[in-house]
Amino acid sequence: MPSGSQAQAEVQRLKDQIAQMQASTFEQIVEVERKYEELQQQLRADTAAREAEAAAMAAEQSRKYDELQLQL
């Protein structure tokens, strides 16, 4: 049977291990949040680019339509 000091040492070792695991988990959460924000920003940029492209295409189609109307 372990002595009191051995039991205390084991408890401390386990507490240290828990603290390391908590720190590691926190770091992983921070990294996931950072990546999530990065992806959100990229998505917003991609959406804005697609909207600009769609607006340009619509303007071009409108211009072509107007040209055709003038030819008639």
Side-chain angles (χ1 to χ4, degrees):
M1 182 135 193
S3 70
S5 63
Q6 287 175 323
Q8 286 178 337
E10 180 65 8
V11 167
Q12 186 58 49
R13 185 188 71 77
L14 292 171
K15 284 182 178 180
D16 292 345
Q17 187 177 6
I18 289 169
Q20 288 174 340
M21 292 169 70
Q22 286 174 329
S24 175
T25 301
F26 179 77
E27 290 170 5
Q28 290 173 350
I29 290 169
V30 168
E31 180 64 15
V32 167
E33 287 174 342
R34 184 193 65 75
K35 286 181 181 180
Y36 174 78
E37 183 57 36
E38 185 179 298
L39 289 172
Q40 285 289 91
Q41 289 175 355
Q42 184 63 46
L43 180 60
R44 284 190 286 271
D46 290 349
T47 300
R50 276 192 229 103
E51 287 174 350
E53 185 178 336
M57 288 175 64
E60 178 65 14
Q61 291 297 322
S62 179
R63 184 190 64 76
K64 287 181 180 179
Y65 177 80
D66 290 346
E67 284 179 4
L68 287 172
Q69 288 289 46
L70 288 175
Q71 291 176 7
L72 297 176

